[in-house]
């Protein structure tokens, strides 16, 4: 039911851990399943992501997607990292079973939350980055509302 890549990233996750004094850190949860993901980013003065680490208290798919998401954003600029959507992460993992698609949303949102934190700390605005939610469930319900504030 899981692809080889998912199993590989689940059994041997990359980038597990924390970054001390990260440029940005983001935590997102899913109230429904109780899973939580935290992503740390180290971003240099040119806006390039030098390192990414994660901690995930969650299901196997959440571990695999955080592992792949952190791999994908490393070496990318902040703008490029915005293209690392849950779809891109799933493609890189050769797909996820439909019931596990929401787990990959955690990874996308946690990256956005870390980027948001970085932008706030540096008083900059990242084009195309929307204010992340703390609980992914809010997003599904709030899709059609106009403002996230
Ligand atoms: Fe909660 Fe996968 S079941 S993130």
């Amino acid at each position: 039911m899981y692809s080889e890549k998912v199993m590989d990233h689940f059994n041997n996750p990359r980038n597990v851990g924390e970054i001390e004094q990260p440029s940005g850190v983001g935590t997102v949860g899913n109230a429904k399943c109780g899973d939580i993901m935290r992503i740390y980013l180290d971003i240099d003065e040119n806006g390039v992501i030098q390192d990414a680490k994660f901690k995930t208290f969650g299901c196997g798919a959440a571990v695999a997607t955080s592992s792949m998401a952190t791999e994908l954003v490393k070496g990318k600029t902040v703008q490029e990292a915005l293209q690392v959507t849950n779809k891109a992460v799933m493609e890189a993992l050769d797909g996820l079973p439909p019931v596990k698609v929401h787990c990959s949303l955690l990874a996308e949102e946690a990256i956005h939350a870390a980027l948001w934190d970085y932008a706030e700390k540096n008083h900059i605005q990242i084009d195309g980055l929307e204010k992340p939610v703390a609980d992914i469930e809010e997003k599904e319900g709030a899709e059609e509302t106009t403002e996230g504030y």
Side-chain angles (χ1 to χ4, degrees):
M1 147 161 158
Y2 287 114
S3 74
E4 264 173 45
K5 278 194 189 159
V6 173
M7 289 312 291
D8 177 31
H9 278 263
F10 170 63
N11 287 319
N12 181 21
R14 325 310 194 253
N15 312 311
V16 175
E18 298 177 21
I19 294 176
E20 271 184 44
Q21 298 182 326
S23 314
V25 54
T27 308
V28 181
N30 182 335
K32 231 182 220 169
C33 60
D35 292 347
I36 297 171
M37 189 183 293
R38 177 171 295 160
I39 287 187
Y40 303 80
L41 297 176
D42 178 23
I43 302 170
D44 71 12
E45 61 283 1
N46 299 316
V48 177
I49 298 170
Q50 294 295 339
D51 201 8
K53 296 245 188 274
F54 80 90
K55 278 193 162 173
T56 292
F57 302 92
C59 71
V63 171
T65 50
S66 7
S67 169
M68 182 54 94
T70 47
E71 281 290 273
L72 290 175
V73 298
K74 273 203 275 182
K76 290 201 163 63
T77 64
V78 163
Q79 278 301 328
E80 287 166 348
L82 285 182
Q83 310 305 317
V84 180
T85 58
N86 78 305
K87 212 168 153 252
V89 172
M90 281 198 296
E91 269 165 25
L93 286 169
D94 292 339
L96 279 175
V99 293
K100 288 289 172 185
V101 169
H102 73 276
C103 315
S104 65
L105 278 171
L106 265 187
E108 176 183 321
E109 199 67 10
I111 287 178
H112 287 183
L115 290 172
W116 185 270
D117 182 42
Y118 161 75
E120 279 199 326
K121 279 182 180 151
N122 291 280
H123 310 289
I124 55 171
Q125 228 179 335
I126 300 174
D127 283 345
L129 179 63
E130 285 175 24
K131 193 174 193 324
V133 294
D135 178 353
I136 204 77
E137 287 297 302
E138 283 171 38
K139 199 154 193 187
E140 282 158 17
E143 209 81 279
E144 64 277 8
T145 58
T146 44
E147 284 293 342
Y149 303 94

Short mmCIF file of all heavy atoms in Angstrom, two decimals, residues 13-47:
data_model
loop_
_atom_site.label_atom_id
_atom_site.label_comp_id
_atom_site.label_asym_id
_atom_site.label_seq_id
_atom_site.Cartn_x
_atom_site.Cartn_y
_atom_site.Cartn_z
N PRO A 13 14.33 8.02 8.25
CA PRO A 13 14.01 9.43 7.96
C PRO A 13 15.24 10.32 7.95
O PRO A 13 16.15 10.15 8.76
CB PRO A 13 13.06 9.82 9.11
CG PRO A 13 13.22 8.80 10.15
CD PRO A 13 13.76 7.55 9.51
N ARG A 14 15.28 11.23 6.98
CA ARG A 14 16.38 12.20 6.88
C ARG A 14 16.03 13.44 7.70
O ARG A 14 14.87 13.80 7.82
CB ARG A 14 16.60 12.66 5.44
CG ARG A 14 16.39 11.66 4.29
CD ARG A 14 17.07 10.33 4.42
NE ARG A 14 17.07 9.63 3.14
CZ ARG A 14 16.31 8.59 2.83
NH1 ARG A 14 15.49 8.07 3.74
NH2 ARG A 14 16.39 8.03 1.64
N ASN A 15 17.07 14.08 8.18
CA ASN A 15 16.93 15.41 8.80
C ASN A 15 16.11 15.44 10.08
O ASN A 15 15.45 16.43 10.39
CB ASN A 15 16.32 16.42 7.81
CG ASN A 15 17.00 16.37 6.47
OD1 ASN A 15 18.21 16.41 6.39
ND2 ASN A 15 16.22 16.27 5.41
N VAL A 16 16.13 14.34 10.83
CA VAL A 16 15.43 14.36 12.11
C VAL A 16 16.24 15.17 13.11
O VAL A 16 17.47 15.06 13.16
CB VAL A 16 15.25 12.93 12.67
CG1 VAL A 16 14.63 12.96 14.06
CG2 VAL A 16 14.40 12.10 11.74
N GLY A 17 15.58 16.00 13.87
CA GLY A 17 16.27 16.73 14.92
C GLY A 17 15.85 18.17 14.98
O GLY A 17 14.76 18.54 14.51
N GLU A 18 16.70 18.98 15.62
CA GLU A 18 16.39 20.40 15.79
C GLU A 18 17.56 21.21 15.27
O GLU A 18 18.67 20.70 15.18
CB GLU A 18 16.27 20.75 17.27
CG GLU A 18 15.17 20.03 17.99
CD GLU A 18 15.16 20.37 19.48
OE1 GLU A 18 15.72 21.42 19.87
OE2 GLU A 18 14.60 19.57 20.23
N ILE A 19 17.31 22.47 14.97
CA ILE A 19 18.39 23.40 14.66
C ILE A 19 18.40 24.42 15.80
O ILE A 19 17.35 24.99 16.13
CB ILE A 19 18.16 24.11 13.31
CG1 ILE A 19 18.24 23.09 12.17
CG2 ILE A 19 19.17 25.24 13.11
CD1 ILE A 19 17.93 23.66 10.80
N GLU A 20 19.55 24.58 16.40
CA GLU A 20 19.64 25.59 17.46
C GLU A 20 19.65 26.96 16.83
O GLU A 20 20.32 27.18 15.84
CB GLU A 20 20.91 25.36 18.27
CG GLU A 20 20.65 24.42 19.42
CD GLU A 20 21.86 24.24 20.29
OE1 GLU A 20 22.51 25.25 20.60
OE2 GLU A 20 22.14 23.09 20.63
N GLN A 21 18.91 27.86 17.40
CA GLN A 21 18.75 29.20 16.86
C GLN A 21 18.41 29.17 15.37
O GLN A 21 19.17 29.64 14.53
CB GLN A 21 20.02 30.02 17.09
CG GLN A 21 20.30 30.17 18.56
CD GLN A 21 21.51 31.00 18.83
OE1 GLN A 21 22.48 30.99 18.08
NE2 GLN A 21 21.48 31.75 19.90
N PRO A 22 17.28 28.59 15.04
CA PRO A 22 16.89 28.50 13.63
C PRO A 22 16.50 29.87 13.07
O PRO A 22 16.10 30.76 13.83
CB PRO A 22 15.68 27.57 13.66
CG PRO A 22 15.10 27.75 15.02
CD PRO A 22 16.25 28.03 15.93
N SER A 23 16.61 30.01 11.77
CA SER A 23 16.13 31.25 11.13
C SER A 23 14.62 31.30 11.21
O SER A 23 14.02 32.37 11.28
CB SER A 23 16.54 31.27 9.67
OG SER A 23 17.88 30.92 9.51
N GLY A 24 14.01 30.12 11.18
CA GLY A 24 12.56 30.05 11.29
C GLY A 24 12.16 28.68 11.78
O GLY A 24 12.80 27.68 11.44
N VAL A 25 11.10 28.64 12.57
CA VAL A 25 10.59 27.35 13.04
C VAL A 25 9.07 27.39 12.97
O VAL A 25 8.46 28.42 13.26
CB VAL A 25 11.10 27.01 14.47
CG1 VAL A 25 10.80 28.12 15.45
CG2 VAL A 25 10.55 25.69 14.96
N GLY A 26 8.50 26.31 12.53
CA GLY A 26 7.05 26.26 12.40
C GLY A 26 6.49 24.97 12.93
O GLY A 26 7.05 23.90 12.72
N THR A 27 5.39 25.09 13.66
CA THR A 27 4.73 23.90 14.23
C THR A 27 3.29 23.88 13.77
O THR A 27 2.59 24.89 13.88
CB THR A 27 4.76 23.96 15.77
OG1 THR A 27 6.11 24.18 16.18
CG2 THR A 27 4.25 22.66 16.37
N VAL A 28 2.87 22.75 13.26
CA VAL A 28 1.50 22.61 12.81
C VAL A 28 0.96 21.27 13.30
O VAL A 28 1.69 20.28 13.32
CB VAL A 28 1.41 22.66 11.26
CG1 VAL A 28 -0.03 22.55 10.81
CG2 VAL A 28 2.00 23.95 10.73
N GLY A 29 -0.29 21.28 13.71
CA GLY A 29 -0.90 20.05 14.17
C GLY A 29 -2.15 19.72 13.39
O GLY A 29 -2.63 20.51 12.58
N ASN A 30 -2.63 18.54 13.63
CA ASN A 30 -3.91 18.13 13.06
C ASN A 30 -4.75 17.60 14.21
O ASN A 30 -4.48 16.54 14.74
CB ASN A 30 -3.68 17.04 12.00
CG ASN A 30 -4.97 16.60 11.35
OD1 ASN A 30 -6.05 16.72 11.92
ND2 ASN A 30 -4.86 16.08 10.14
N ALA A 31 -5.74 18.41 14.60
CA ALA A 31 -6.53 18.06 15.78
C ALA A 31 -7.23 16.72 15.62
O ALA A 31 -7.45 16.01 16.59
CB ALA A 31 -7.54 19.16 16.06
N LYS A 32 -7.57 16.37 14.39
CA LYS A 32 -8.32 15.15 14.15
C LYS A 32 -7.53 13.91 14.58
O LYS A 32 -8.03 13.04 15.28
CB LYS A 32 -8.69 15.05 12.68
CG LYS A 32 -10.17 14.77 12.50
CD LYS A 32 -10.50 14.62 11.04
CE LYS A 32 -11.82 15.30 10.72
NZ LYS A 32 -12.04 15.41 9.30
N CYS A 33 -6.27 13.82 14.13
CA CYS A 33 -5.50 12.62 14.45
C CYS A 33 -4.53 12.88 15.61
O CYS A 33 -3.92 11.95 16.12
CB CYS A 33 -4.73 12.13 13.22
SG CYS A 33 -3.58 13.35 12.58
N GLY A 34 -4.39 14.15 15.99
CA GLY A 34 -3.51 14.47 17.12
C GLY A 34 -2.04 14.56 16.76
O GLY A 34 -1.19 14.66 17.64
N ASP A 35 -1.74 14.49 15.48
CA ASP A 35 -0.34 14.51 15.06
C ASP A 35 0.20 15.94 15.01
O ASP A 35 -0.53 16.88 14.70
CB ASP A 35 -0.18 13.84 13.70
CG ASP A 35 -0.46 12.34 13.80
OD1 ASP A 35 -0.52 11.85 14.93
OD2 ASP A 35 -0.60 11.70 12.76
N ILE A 36 1.49 16.06 15.30
CA ILE A 36 2.14 17.38 15.33
C ILE A 36 3.46 17.30 14.57
O ILE A 36 4.19 16.31 14.69
CB ILE A 36 2.43 17.81 16.77
CG1 ILE A 36 1.14 17.97 17.57
CG2 ILE A 36 3.20 19.15 16.79
CD1 ILE A 36 1.38 18.19 19.04
N MET A 37 3.74 18.33 13.79
CA MET A 37 4.99 18.39 13.05
C MET A 37 5.66 19.74 13.28
O MET A 37 4.99 20.77 13.28
CB MET A 37 4.69 18.22 11.57
CG MET A 37 5.92 18.05 10.70
SD MET A 37 5.44 17.96 8.97
CE MET A 37 4.54 16.42 8.90
N ARG A 38 6.97 19.70 13.52
CA ARG A 38 7.71 20.95 13.68
C ARG A 38 8.88 20.94 12.71
O ARG A 38 9.62 19.95 12.65
CB ARG A 38 8.20 21.08 15.12
CG ARG A 38 9.04 22.33 15.34
CD ARG A 38 9.33 22.55 16.80
NE ARG A 38 8.10 22.80 17.53
CZ ARG A 38 7.97 22.65 18.85
NH1 ARG A 38 8.98 22.23 19.57
NH2 ARG A 38 6.84 22.92 19.44
N ILE A 39 9.04 22.02 11.98
CA ILE A 39 10.14 22.12 11.02
C ILE A 39 11.01 23.33 11.35
O ILE A 39 10.50 24.42 11.64
CB ILE A 39 9.61 22.18 9.57
CG1 ILE A 39 9.09 20.78 9.19
CG2 ILE A 39 10.70 22.63 8.59
CD1 ILE A 39 8.68 20.58 7.76
N TYR A 40 12.31 23.10 11.34
CA TYR A 40 13.30 24.15 11.61
C TYR A 40 14.05 24.45 10.31
O TYR A 40 14.44 23.51 9.60
CB TYR A 40 14.35 23.66 12.61
CG TYR A 40 13.82 23.20 13.94
CD1 TYR A 40 13.28 21.94 14.10
CD2 TYR A 40 13.89 24.04 15.06
CE1 TYR A 40 12.81 21.51 15.33
CE2 TYR A 40 13.43 23.61 16.29
CZ TYR A 40 12.89 22.35 16.42
OH TYR A 40 12.43 21.93 17.64
N LEU A 41 14.28 25.73 10.05
CA LEU A 41 15.03 26.11 8.85
C LEU A 41 16.21 27.00 9.23
O LEU A 41 16.09 27.87 10.09
CB LEU A 41 14.14 26.87 7.87
CG LEU A 41 12.94 26.13 7.27
CD1 LEU A 41 12.12 27.09 6.41
CD2 LEU A 41 13.38 24.92 6.46
N ASP A 42 17.32 26.74 8.56
CA ASP A 42 18.47 27.61 8.68
C ASP A 42 18.63 28.31 7.32
O ASP A 42 18.89 27.64 6.32
CB ASP A 42 19.71 26.78 9.02
CG ASP A 42 20.97 27.63 9.11
OD1 ASP A 42 20.83 28.85 9.35
OD2 ASP A 42 22.07 27.08 8.93
N ILE A 43 18.43 29.61 7.29
CA ILE A 43 18.41 30.35 6.03
C ILE A 43 19.53 31.38 6.05
O ILE A 43 19.67 32.14 7.02
CB ILE A 43 17.04 31.05 5.85
CG1 ILE A 43 15.92 30.00 5.87
CG2 ILE A 43 17.00 31.86 4.55
CD1 ILE A 43 14.52 30.56 5.93
N ASP A 44 20.35 31.41 5.01
CA ASP A 44 21.49 32.33 5.01
C ASP A 44 21.08 33.74 4.55
O ASP A 44 19.90 33.99 4.24
CB ASP A 44 22.66 31.76 4.20
CG ASP A 44 22.40 31.76 2.69
OD1 ASP A 44 21.41 32.40 2.25
OD2 ASP A 44 23.17 31.12 1.97
N GLU A 45 22.07 34.64 4.51
CA GLU A 45 21.74 36.05 4.23
C GLU A 45 21.27 36.27 2.78
O GLU A 45 20.71 37.31 2.46
CB GLU A 45 22.92 36.97 4.57
CG GLU A 45 24.21 36.74 3.80
CD GLU A 45 25.01 35.52 4.31
OE1 GLU A 45 24.54 34.84 5.24
OE2 GLU A 45 26.08 35.24 3.75
N ASN A 46 21.46 35.27 1.93
CA ASN A 46 20.95 35.37 0.56
C ASN A 46 19.56 34.75 0.40
O ASN A 46 19.06 34.62 -0.71
CB ASN A 46 21.91 34.69 -0.42
CG ASN A 46 23.28 35.35 -0.40
OD1 ASN A 46 23.37 36.58 -0.39
ND2 ASN A 46 24.33 34.56 -0.36
N GLY A 47 19.00 34.34 1.53
CA GLY A 47 17.67 33.74 1.46
C GLY A 47 17.69 32.31 0.94
O GLY A 47 16.69 31.82 0.42
#
